[in-house]
Amino acid sequence: MNPLTKMALGLIGQLRPEPPTGDGSPVLALPPPRQGGGLPLMQALARRQSQREFDPVALPLPVLSDLLWAAAGVNRPDSGGRTAPSAMNAQEVDLYVALPEGLYLYDPHAHALQRTVAADVRRVTGYQDFVDSAPLDLVYVADHARMKLVPAEQRSTYAAAAAGAMAQNVYLQAASAGLATVIRAWLDRPALAQAMGLGTNQQVLLAQTVGWPAGAAPQ
């Protein structure tokens, strides 16, 4: 669906998800992240870039597992610390995973996906046409109820900084794994919040599309 059509549908409150496809399991267990591989950091930084053309082929579970752990996984089990910083350890940013099979919430401690909506919300995650068919759209959502120690007027800024750190982790993992990705802020936030079933304390911050580069999916 092209951007103008999405904008028109948004204006009349009709930008909505599609029915899910495939086997949408309520809980999707992920294999352990492969922490011993990947490119050296400086090489990953040299390859970091935004790309907007994606192959629709789904990412294998090990690739998805590595990507989600890089974004928000627990890297210090003793303390529960994660791969991205959070002010006062509020951990206010949740990572939602939009797949053809449904919308899932990443649980960092279980390293698993919990389905929250049995619908394909990918096309609602942004005005760009490529979000509809790319295999994975991530959505960063702030839960302000976890930020009671932060003054209300500063909560969006704190959460946006945390989401930016998470998104950069995704960029670096994508560069290391040969994936394409782009972070996006051009989206209909009310329509997306409705499609995701978010509450009044939750704020859609950013979205990020990930997939194989167009024509480059492994055979």
Side-chain angles (χ1 to χ4, degrees):
M1 184 184 298
N2 66 55
L4 290 178
T5 301
K6 289 188 180 185
M7 293 175 71
L9 289 173
L11 288 173
I12 60 174
Q14 296 297 315
L15 183 58
R16 295 174 179 170
E18 294 184 309
T21 58
D23 180 17
S25 301
V27 179
L28 183 58
L30 298 168
R34 298 168 292 184
Q35 301 177 27
L39 291 179
L41 175 60
M42 296 302 282
Q43 290 184 29
L45 285 167
R47 296 185 185 184
R48 193 221 67 84
Q49 62 176 313
S50 293
Q51 295 176 272
R52 296 171 176 81
E53 295 183 359
F54 300 89
D55 198 298
V57 173
L59 301 179
L61 278 183
V63 174
L64 180 61
S65 171
D66 294 349
L67 192 76
L68 298 179
W69 183 84
V74 174
N75 65 353
R76 287 154 289 162
D78 292 344
S79 66
R82 302 192 193 176
T83 57
S86 170
M88 293 175 281
N89 199 33
Q91 302 298 346
E92 72 278 11
V93 179
D94 287 319
L95 183 61
Y96 285 83
V97 180
L99 299 169
E101 300 86 354
L103 179 71
Y104 290 81
L105 175 63
Y106 176 57
D107 180 345
H109 296 284
H111 192 58
L113 292 174
Q114 306 282 341
R115 191 177 65 187
T116 59
V117 178
D120 182 357
V121 306
R122 289 177 298 166
R123 73 173 184 179
V124 193
T125 67
Y127 288 119
Q128 299 89 340
D129 54 2
F130 59 78
V131 308
D132 301 28
S133 57
L136 171 64
D137 289 305
L138 303 173
V139 184
Y140 300 89
V141 176
D143 187 342
H144 289 251
R146 300 180 199 154
M147 305 180 73
K148 295 178 180 178
L149 296 179
V150 179
E153 67 274 9
Q154 297 181 24
R155 290 175 184 173
S156 292
T157 301
Y158 277 48
M166 294 164 67
Q168 177 71 339
N169 285 0
V170 170
Y171 265 105
L172 294 176
Q173 175 59 26
S176 179
L179 300 173
T181 188
V182 62
I183 195 165
R184 304 180 283 99
W186 189 41
L187 48 95
D188 187 332
R189 285 175 174 79
L192 183 53
Q194 181 178 19
M196 296 174 67
L198 299 182
T200 55
N201 282 324
Q202 293 175 287
Q203 176 191 10
V204 174
L205 298 170
L206 298 165
Q208 189 169 12
T209 302
V210 188
W212 303 111
Q219 300 299 316

